[in-house]
Structure formats: structure tokens, C-alpha cells
Amino acid sequence: MRKNFPITQDEVRVRADQYLISKTDLKGRITYANAAFIAISGFTREELIGKAHNIVRHPDMPPEAFQDLWDTMQSKRPWMGVVKNRRKDGGFYWVYAMAVPIYENGTVAGYASVRVKPTQEQIDEAEHLYSTINEGRAKGVRLHEGRAVPTGWRKMLSQLRRPFSNSLRASLFRMGTLALATTGTALYFALTGGVPQGSGMWLTVGLCLASAVMMAYGWLIAQRVIRPLDQASLIAQQIATGNLQLDIDLQSSESNSEIGQLYFCLDLMRKSLVGIASDARSGIDASIHAARILEVNNTNLASRTEDQAASLQETAASMEELTVTVRQNADNANQASQLADASMQIAQRGGAVVNEVVQTMQGIHDSSRRIGDIVTVIEGIAFQTNILALNAAVESARAGEAGRGFAVVAGEVRSLAQKSSQAAGEIKNLIDASVSRMAVGAEQAARAGATMGEVVDSVKRVTDIIGEISTASIEQASGLDQINEAMAKMDGVTQQNAALVQDLGNTMSDLASEASELADAIKALNTGSVDSAHTAPALAQLTQAPSLQVLSYQNPSPFQANSAKTANARLGAIRR
């Protein structure tokens, strides 16, 4: 058998208003546990559902008790007894449990257990019994359907004492024995020839007295049965009408008698219904609260969704305008790129022309240098001619009259040489000035060529940048088109969400209304829980009967009020 450890001596007492309910399948796996059972056990719902019910078994419980439980369940009989269960933290709690089979379509589909608070006497008796069983000191006693029954000669002695017990079966047996004795006596005298002379009067008086005693005893048995059955009928009527706040006096009836068992089962049924109704009411209240919160949140969500839809529409319009602007920018950038390409081509052609000019200027500069060299040669010739003319003049002076004509020619030659030298000097000055200017012009043309190269490079970089801008603008325009489509889809989805939120709001409103109607239906079960302003007057209307108290209904209908009034009157008459 499973042993759950560790254990402690910390006891948690079950309150009188706590009713622990659980259900298992045929293999003992938990399929349902109410809130009170979960709270007392210390486990969570997830730790209990689907687990074996022996998860709460305490090591102090003898294996014979659970074997008796399963034997009783297998025989399709109810089991009732005091059980010590273990909590998750190792503590323990005592309960008085009733386990019964659950029938579905005529077959057993599972088992249900209802547990209530036991009395201290029941706890003491069970603790003593279980300790003696665990220690092997339980002689002449065994467990049967949750109760200790004698065995051996003690069982025979118990059987002999049974006709003298206060049970309904023993009473009927005693009355039957008396009736049999009376009938047997009359039959004996009838079969033996009549009553002896002188004994007729005494026999007649005895038979009449026995008949009277038998009738009186039968009346007492009938009253003993009918009065509790009437009360049980009234209790069942009150439970049927939804009044679960009944004070059933279990002490005034014998717990071991059939009537006591009936009262106990009725009270256990009432407590089980109270627990179920309380759990249902708590769940309904939580559902109503959650539904109201969801309704408020849904209203806020609907408002924000409408605002979001309006914002999306404005954003979509702005995105459309931005798309048009970006598309125009892309077109302008494309035109600018084309113009930049044309400008670059023109700049390239201008650079080529400037290079040709630079080369031409360089050729002119070289030609000017050669002309200067030629002029230098001419100047040398003129200088030499002047020297020769001077020598010729000297020689003609030496020749005298004969060289006078030659002297005139030499003078003319000298004059021509001087003019040639003077003209060559002027030409040289002009050529030198031209060469200087041509050098400056060549240098300026070279700088202009370099500048045109830089201009070409700049125009090329500008063209590349404009091309990149054009490409980016085209991609931006395409992206904005996609964003615009996405915004249009988002706008449509938001509109659909708004419609769904509206439908959800209507659904939540319907849910709140249905939950309120369900709460009103559950309120028909008068569990005595104080959950509204109408409960206090109902609690003040408790009847003062000593053994059975019936609470008035909360917000009673005429039928419920008349039923409660009639039941109280009949119960009072029965007690009197």
C-alpha cells in the first residue's frame, strides 16, 4: 500500500460549513474535486485531477480500512466511516466520509465521496480502532462497510442481542413473535378439542390482552416509523423547493437505526447540495464580475479601436500624399539624373577641347622658341655684316680714292646691317614677349585642363549621387506603395476588428445577463450564505423548533412562502 511521507502532527480541522466532495473513475483516479476539498488538502487542482485518490492517504490509516472500502464499492454498497487524510504539507485532517458508486445507464461509472466534519467522539473511537488494527491488537473485531463489527463468539453474542435492540427490524421481529405466540396458542386449543373447562375466561382475557398489546405495539412501531418519515418527507420537500438551510437534528434519532441512517443520508445530501450550490454561486459571482470587467474593457477597447481606425484612415491619407510626393521626387530625380548625364558628356567634351587647346598652345610655344632661335641667328649675321662693313670702310679708307665707291657700298651695307640688327632686336623682343605670354597662356591652359578634369570628376560624382538618389527614390516609392497597401489592409482589418469588438460587446452583455439569470436560479437554493442585503432578514426568521429548523426563503415566491409556512406548521404539530 502506498505510504505518503513525510508527516507532521499539525492538524487542520474541517469546519462545520465545509463539505468536501470528490469523484473518481473506476480505477480510483480523481476526476472532480470541489474548492473545499482542494483547500483542505493543500494540493492544487492540477495536482489532484487525474491522480490516484490515495495521494491524500495517511500512513496511520490501516490497509484493512481501504480494503474494506474497495470491497464495499465492488459490491455496489455505500461505505461510511471516519477517515484520517494527509495534507500536502504533511499535516492531517479528520473527516466523516460516505463513498457511493455512481450509476450511469444502469452500470457503475465511478465513485463519489462526500466528507463532513466528524464529532470528537467519532474521531477518538476511530483513532483507537485504527491504532489497535495497525498494532495487531484488534481481536474479535473487523471492519465492514466502514464500521467495526464483532467476529467469532462475539458475533454470535451480537446476533443473540439483535432481537432486543431498538432497531425497526428488531421491533417488527418482536411484534411478529408476539403475534405468532398468540395465534399459535389459539390454534393449539382449536386443534386439541377446545379450551379446558374453567380456563376459558382466563384464556379469552389473555388472548384479548395479547391482541391489545400487539395492536398497541404495532401502533407504537407505526408512529415510530410514520413520524420520522413525515419529517423526512418535509425535509425532502424543503430540499426539493430549494431550501437547503435546514437544521436536521441527528442526535434525537438513533444513529444505528434505519431512521437515523435515513436522516443522516438526507443531511449529507443537503450538505452536498449546499457545497455544490456554494461553489456554483462563487463561480457565478466570479463569472459575473469577470464578465462585467470584460464588458468595461471591451467598451474601452471598442472606443480605442474606433480611435485607431480613425487614426489609420488619417495615416493612410497622409501616406498616400507622401507616396505621391515621393513619386514626384523620384521623377524629378530621374530627370536630374538624365540632365547630369548630359552635363557630364558636355563637360567631357569641353575637357577634350581644352586638352587640344593646351596641346596647340604648347606647339605655338615651341614654334615661338624656334623663331627666336632663327632671329638670334639673323642678329648674329647682322652683327657680323656690320663688322664686315666696318672692315670694308677701313679698307676703303686705306685704298683712298679708289675705294671710295666701295666705301659707299660698305656704308650702305653697314646701314642695312644696323637696320637688320635693330629690326632683329625688335623682333626678338616681340618674340620674347610672345614666348612669355605663350608660356603664361600654356600654364593657364594646363590649369584650365586640370580644372576641367576636376569638373568632369565632380560632375561624374554628382551624376552617381543623383543616380543613387533616383534609385532610392524609386525604391522608396515602391516601398511606400507597399506600405500604402498594408495600411489599406490594416484599415480593413481594423474595421473588421471594430465590428468584432462590437459583436463581442453584445456577447459579453448577453453573457452577463445569462450569468445574472443563472445566479438568480442558484439563489433559489437557500444555502444560508450571506451574499446580499436581502439575506439578513431571512436569517432573522429562523424558527425556534428544537429539532428541525427551516429558514425562510430569500425573496420567496408565493409558492415557496406557502410551502415553508405549511412545512413549519406541520413540523410543529408533529413535535407536539
Side-chain angles (χ1 to χ4, degrees):
M1 187 183 74
R2 174 173 177 169
K3 297 287 186 180
N4 296 316
F5 291 101
I7 58 173
T8 65
Q9 297 304 317
D10 298 331
E11 180 180 4
V12 176
R13 293 188 177 274
V14 179
R15 300 195 311 270
D17 60 343
Q18 284 183 312
Y19 314 119
L20 285 57
I21 305 172
S22 65
K23 295 181 180 180
T24 64
D25 58 14
L26 294 177
K27 294 184 178 181
R29 290 188 294 262
I30 300 174
T31 58
Y32 169 78
N34 69 339
F37 180 79
I38 294 172
I40 291 294
S41 67
F43 292 92
T44 63
R45 187 179 300 275
E46 290 74 17
E47 292 173 332
L48 291 175
I49 302 300
K51 303 299 188 301
H53 204 285
N54 57 14
I55 191 174
V56 296
R57 179 179 296 173
H58 198 280
D60 290 348
M61 288 295 297
E64 292 81 358
F66 294 102
Q67 185 61 45
D68 174 52
L69 169 64
W70 280 109
D71 291 342
T72 305
M73 292 292 99
Q74 293 297 326
S75 63
K76 300 180 181 180
R77 296 276 299 168
W79 185 93
M80 290 185 290
V82 180
V83 180
K84 184 179 183 180
N85 284 337
R86 177 185 177 273
R87 286 171 46 85
K88 181 181 178 180
D89 58 6
F92 67 94
Y93 59 96
W94 288 95
V95 292
Y96 191 92
M98 182 180 73
V100 295
I102 301 175
Y103 290 91
E104 291 183 2
N105 298 323
T107 60
V108 178
Y111 307 103
S113 298
V114 182
R115 307 166 187 84
V116 295
K117 178 182 178 181
T119 63
Q120 189 60 43
E121 291 78 10
Q122 290 173 333
I123 294 176
D124 295 338
E125 292 177 3
E127 193 169 19
H128 175 71
L129 175 63
Y130 295 155
S131 63
T132 56
I133 293 177
N134 287 327
E135 295 171 3
R137 296 185 292 105
K139 303 298 183 181
V141 67
R142 69 180 181 90
L143 291 173
H144 177 67
E145 296 184 0
R147 296 179 179 85
V149 296
T151 60
W153 63 269
R154 295 180 179 84
K155 181 179 181 181
M156 295 178 61
L157 184 61
S158 175
Q159 294 290 342
L160 293 175
R161 287 200 302 260
R162 182 172 294 180
F164 304 98
S165 66
N166 198 27
S167 65
L168 181 60
R169 289 188 179 92
S171 299
L172 291 175
F173 177 78
R174 290 192 291 269
M175 187 181 71
T177 302
L178 181 59
L180 182 61
T182 303
T183 304
T185 302
L187 182 62
Y188 171 78
F189 285 109
L191 293 176
T192 57
V195 179
Q197 189 175 3
S199 301
M201 180 63 67
W202 294 104
L203 182 59
T204 303
V205 172
L207 291 176
C208 291
L209 182 61
S211 299
V213 170
M214 186 172 57
M215 291 182 62
Y217 194 57
W219 173 260
L220 290 177
I221 294 175
Q223 290 300 312
R224 183 181 172 187
V225 173
I226 293 174
R227 290 180 60 185
L229 287 179
D230 285 340
Q231 289 188 349
S233 176
L234 293 177
I235 293 171
Q237 289 176 12
Q238 291 297 302
I239 294 176
T241 55
N243 185 18
L244 302 179
Q245 192 59 21
L246 302 171
D247 185 13
I248 302 176
D249 186 10
L250 300 178
Q251 302 298 328
S252 61
S253 60
E254 299 83 358
S255 59
N256 293 326
S257 66
E258 295 81 358
I259 300 301
Q261 292 296 321
L262 175 61
Y263 272 39
F264 176 79
C265 292
L266 285 174
D267 187 58
L268 200 61
M269 179 182 67
R270 179 190 67 83
K271 291 178 178 179
S272 178
L273 289 175
V274 168
I276 295 173
S278 298
D279 293 342
R281 180 173 295 178
S282 299
I284 290 169
D285 291 341
S287 299
I288 291 174
H289 181 67
R292 288 173 179 170
I293 293 176
L294 286 174
E295 186 176 8
V296 173
N297 292 338
N298 185 71
T299 302
N300 296 332
L301 178 61
S303 177
R304 288 193 292 269
T305 303
E306 291 177 358
D307 295 339
Q308 183 182 4
S311 300
L312 277 174
Q313 289 179 351
E314 294 176 358
T315 305
S318 301
M319 289 298 296
E320 188 175 358
E321 294 177 358
L322 182 60
T323 302
V324 174
T325 303
V326 171
R327 189 176 291 109
Q328 291 177 354
N329 291 336
D331 295 339
N332 295 333
N334 191 16
Q335 295 178 1
S337 178
Q338 295 176 359
L339 293 176
D341 290 337
S343 299
M344 187 179 69
Q345 294 176 2
I346 294 172
Q348 288 176 350
R349 290 197 298 270
V353 172
V354 169
N355 288 331
E356 293 177 356
V357 171
V358 170
Q359 292 176 1
T360 302
M361 291 295 293
Q362 188 66 34
I364 294 173
H365 180 66
D366 295 338
S367 299
S368 298
R369 284 182 179 177
R370 288 197 299 270
I371 291 172
D373 295 337
I374 294 170
V375 170
T376 299
V377 172
I378 293 172
E379 187 178 11
I381 294 171
F383 179 74
Q384 291 177 1
T385 302
N386 189 20
I387 294 298
L388 290 175
L390 182 61
N391 292 331
V394 173
E395 291 297 329
S396 63
R398 287 179 181 174
E401 189 65 25
R404 180 178 296 174
F406 186 72
V408 174
V409 174
E412 291 295 331
V413 171
R414 182 181 179 186
S415 176
L416 291 172
Q418 289 177 349
K419 291 180 180 179
S420 297
S421 177
Q422 183 178 3
E426 292 178 355
I427 291 171
K428 183 178 181 181
N429 291 332
L430 291 174
I431 290 173
D432 290 338
S434 296
V435 168
S436 281
R437 292 190 183 95
M438 288 298 293
V440 174
E443 184 178 357
Q444 291 177 350
R447 288 200 300 273
T451 303
M452 284 300 297
E454 294 177 357
V455 169
V456 171
D457 294 337
S458 299
V459 170
K460 185 177 180 181
R461 287 196 298 272
V462 170
T463 302
D464 294 339
I465 292 172
I466 292 175
E468 293 176 358
I469 292 173
S470 177
T471 303
S473 297
I474 293 173
E475 292 179 354
Q476 287 179 357
S478 177
L480 284 174
D481 288 335
Q482 294 177 357
I483 292 174
N484 196 15
E485 293 178 0
M487 292 296 293
K489 292 180 179 179
M490 287 177 63
D491 183 42
V493 171
T494 303
Q495 296 293 338
Q496 293 177 357
N497 289 340
L500 290 176
V501 166
Q502 186 71 23
D503 295 339
L504 179 60
N506 297 331
T507 304
M508 291 307 302
S509 179
D510 295 339
L511 176 62
S513 299
E514 292 176 0
S516 298
E517 294 177 359
L518 182 58
D520 293 336
I522 291 296
K523 285 180 181 178
L525 296 177
N526 182 13
T527 61
S529 59
V530 182
D531 60 346
S532 66
H534 301 286
T535 308
L539 290 176
Q541 297 177 4
L542 277 170
T543 60
Q544 302 302 321
S547 63
L548 184 63
Q549 296 177 349
V550 181
L551 276 178
S552 61
Y553 289 91
Q554 300 176 2
N555 300 325
S557 65
F559 170 77
Q560 292 172 332
N562 293 331
S563 298
K565 187 182 299 182
T566 304
N568 288 329
R570 292 182 63 186
L571 286 172
I574 291 173
R575 293 190 193 97
R576 291 194 295 269

